[in-house]
Every structure is written in C-alpha cells, then in structure tokens.
Amino acid sequence: MKHLLSLHDWTQEDIQEALTLAAKLKQEQKAGIPHPLLQGKTLGMIFSKSSTRTRVSFEVGMYQLGGHALFLSSNDIQLGRGETIHDTAKVLSRYLDGIMIRTFRQEDVEELAAQGTIPVINGLTDLLHPCQVLADLLTLQEHLGTLAGKKLAYVGDGNNMAHSLLFGCVKCGMDIAVATPAAYACDADIVKKAMEDAQKTGATITITEDPVEAVQGAHAVYTDTWVSMGQEAEKEEKIKVFSPYQVNEELFSMAKPEAVFLHCLPAYRGLEVTEAVIDGPRSVIFDEAENRLHAQKAVMVMTMGEK
Ligand code: CP
Ligand code: NVA
C-alpha cells in the first residue's frame, strides 16, 4: 500500500516519478488531452482545518482524472464528535479508494493509514505538508531547470512547511538553509532525519538564526505565515519575535540576483513578506498554487491508480 504521509518515506525515485508525471499531466491538461487514469474512483477528503488550495485542487484534480471527490468536514462527520480514527478508517475503507486528510496531529494521519486498507494522503498536519512541497519542487524545476546543486533558503517559522521543505529539497539534491528564531526552530527529530536523507544525495542543510546567512547564494527564497492554523492565540507574541525575519527587498536582494520567491499561501503582506517581494517580478506564488493541482494528480495516480 502506497501512502503519502511524509516525503521522508518516499524515495528519491518516487519524488522524481511524481514530478515527471505531474509535468506530463500538466501538459496533457493544457493541450486538452483527456487522462482518465482514476475513472470510477472516489477520494474522501477529511478537513479539520480551513483550506482553499488543497480542497479545490484535490477536487478538481480528481474530476480531471475521471474520478470523484467527497468533501468531509470533520465538523460534520462523526470523527468530530469522538468516533475513533480506528473505526473511521475501517468504515471509509469500505466505500472509498483513497483518503486525503488535513488535521492537527501527524500521528492521527499515520493511524488512519495503519488502520485503513486504502491509500492515505497527508493534506497538512501541524508537522508536515508534503503535497505543497511536491508542487514547490515542480515549480522550482520549471523556473530553475534542474534542482540538484541549487540552494533554497527558508526564512521564518520552523513549522510544517520548513519540515517538508527539508525532506523534499535534500531528497532532490538541493541545498537548504533554514533561518528561524531560536524559540521557533525546526523539530530536532525532523532535522536529524533530513540530515540522514541529505547524506544519500550529497545535499547540505544549514540551520541558523540569521536570515542573511540563509539567503546568501540562494536560488530560491521561501517563507510562510508566522501564525499557522491553530496558533491564533500566539499571534501578537509571534509578530514581535519574527519581525527580523520578514522577507523584504533588502533581504531578498542578498540572494542570487535571479532568485525566485516562493510562499505556500495564504500570505500576510506586510508581515512575513512585503508587497514589493510577493507581488514582484520574481515571485512565483501563483505557479506554485497551480502546481498543487498537477502534483497532487500525480500523487493520486501513484497511490490510487492501477499498479
Ligand atoms: N497552501 C495551502 O495548503 O493552502 P490551503 O490552506 O488554502 O489549502
Ligand atoms: N504553516 C501554515 C501552512 C498553511 C498552508 C499552516 O499550517 O497554517
């Protein structure tokens, strides 16, 4: 059974296959060539948090693949009233061909995959956001040509995006530098696992508190909101701590002159990034958003398609 729970679980070859298939499906979709690779299949999409991109891109992607997607808000299904993940996994496995889940705890996604008998795709947890990073890697490949040997700088919160970027970049042979305030550093276990992955590809990982050190020589600069879903109560405190980590024109100018700017969105202009950078000529944020569709179609075919 193939799941997408974390990019750490996927081999370099799996990621490359996903990027190649995503590029092919993108080209077919643009050329109007039908590709009903999941005809008659149904994906259930469990959401315990808000979403624009993930919800719409999975639903549209499934439609384009000839299948059907069901939106399952955790407010409306019995999971939100205390039915166990175990029972939810067993029941949904009797109806569906795959589940995408966006929730808080990574352990819940792992349990859903362990207890069910169908593929599970992680649509974001507090710890990881692998689908976003596959779309980001596709976007970087389009703009930079190749990934191996290039450098990405992530500046901001050591959150789910930082973690999945660590795994995704090093598995593709990209160097990555992550700059966060000390109190908001990446999870040590994730960094350890990413270091192990990096050894296999020769990529390097730099962990620093200095945003300038991180962006120097970078081909891509990435940031994310300082206040992730579920952290609303910490907003005032975080805005104070993170202000030196804003990606503004001054910081962006210290990356390579041709560097691109990425953000998973939703963005908060004037906080983690200035308007001049996010709306500037080197921002590729809407390509990233579009590539969610193509990358996730590839993931669904790889996990739910005929073997
Ligand atoms: N980037 C991302 O996952 O966006 P949504 O929260 O809108 O799905
Ligand atoms: N770090 C953000 C990403 C949103 C796509 C969050 O978890 O809210």
Side-chain angles (χ1 to χ4, degrees):
M1 177 71 54
K2 191 154 191 69
H3 303 290
L4 176 55
L5 310 181
S6 163
L7 287 177
H8 179 65
D9 306 333
W10 276 32
T11 64
Q12 243 179 296
E13 292 71 30
D14 289 333
I15 294 176
Q16 199 44 63
E17 183 186 337
L19 297 180
T20 303
L21 180 57
K24 178 172 178 277
L25 294 172
K26 181 172 184 173
Q27 188 237 317
E28 288 180 353
Q29 191 238 328
K30 296 211 181 275
I33 302 167
H35 41 269
L37 301 171
L38 295 180
Q39 188 120 45
K41 304 241 176 179
T42 306
L43 175 78
M45 309 188 296
I46 302 176
F47 281 92
S48 307
K49 294 180 176 179
S50 305
S51 171
T52 298
R53 281 144 287 268
T54 305
R55 176 177 176 181
V56 177
S57 56
F58 267 105
E59 187 157 342
V60 170
M62 203 53 192
Y63 173 74
Q64 292 179 358
L65 290 167
H68 181 69
L70 272 179
F71 174 67
L72 304 168
S73 163
S74 67
N75 293 331
D76 302 329
I77 60 173
Q78 300 288 6
L79 184 67
R81 292 183 58 248
E83 187 167 18
T84 61
I85 297 200
H86 172 277
D87 289 359
T88 304
K90 300 280 181 212
V91 171
L92 292 182
S93 294
R94 302 282 179 114
Y95 304 128
L96 300 169
D97 302 290
I99 302 175
M100 189 243 69
I101 178 166
R102 165 169 289 196
T103 192
F104 294 86
R105 287 159 35 93
Q106 178 70 20
E107 295 77 13
D108 289 351
V109 178
E110 314 259 345
E111 190 185 347
L112 190 68
Q115 302 296 340
T117 55
I118 54 176
V120 171
I121 300 170
N122 180 351
L124 179 145
T125 62
D126 291 346
L127 193 72
L128 297 169
H129 197 2
C131 292
Q132 177 68 49
V133 170
L134 287 175
D136 297 337
L137 292 169
L138 180 62
T139 309
L140 287 166
Q141 196 164 273
E142 290 168 351
H143 287 274
L144 305 179
T146 51
L147 299 176
K150 301 285 186 345
K151 174 184 174 182
L152 180 135
Y154 175 90
V155 178
D157 194 10
N159 62 12
N160 44 13
M161 279 314 315
H163 293 158
S164 283
L165 283 166
L166 276 165
F167 288 143
C169 286
V170 304
K171 290 230 176 196
C172 291
M174 283 187 84
D175 297 336
I176 177 167
V178 178
T180 71
Y184 296 97
C186 289
D187 179 275
D189 185 52
I190 299 275
V191 175
K192 185 169 159 278
K193 287 185 176 136
M195 296 252 184
E196 288 161 15
D197 289 344
Q199 273 175 1
K200 295 185 193 130
T201 60
T204 64
I205 295 177
T206 306
I207 303 290
T208 176
E209 287 172 42
D210 180 1
V212 174
E213 182 193 347
V215 302
Q216 274 165 357
H219 299 82
V221 176
Y222 202 116
T223 191
D224 181 18
T225 181
W226 296 335
V227 186
S228 284
M229 289 180 274
Q231 301 179 340
E232 290 72 14
E234 298 165 49
K235 186 171 177 188
E236 291 313 312
E237 172 63 19
K238 289 191 92 173
I239 288 175
K240 276 189 231 145
V241 176
F242 280 94
S243 63
Y245 292 81
Q246 182 185 67
V247 178
N248 49 36
E249 280 175 301
E250 191 190 345
L251 184 66
F252 194 41
S253 73
M254 292 177 205
K256 284 199 175 288
E258 70 277 19
V260 289
F261 172 77
L262 292 96
H263 191 308
C264 56
L265 305 179
Y268 300 89
R269 287 168 171 75
L271 292 177
E272 73 270 11
V273 59
T274 58
E275 257 176 44
V277 173
I278 196 168
D279 298 323
R282 286 186 280 134
S283 171
V284 297
I285 56 169
F286 299 119
D287 291 341
E288 284 179 88
E290 177 185 335
N291 283 337
R292 293 294 302 277
L293 172 68
H294 310 300
Q296 288 157 195
K297 283 168 73 178
V299 170
M300 289 189 283
V301 171
M302 286 172 67
T303 55
M304 297 167 63
E306 300 308 325
K307 299 293 173 299

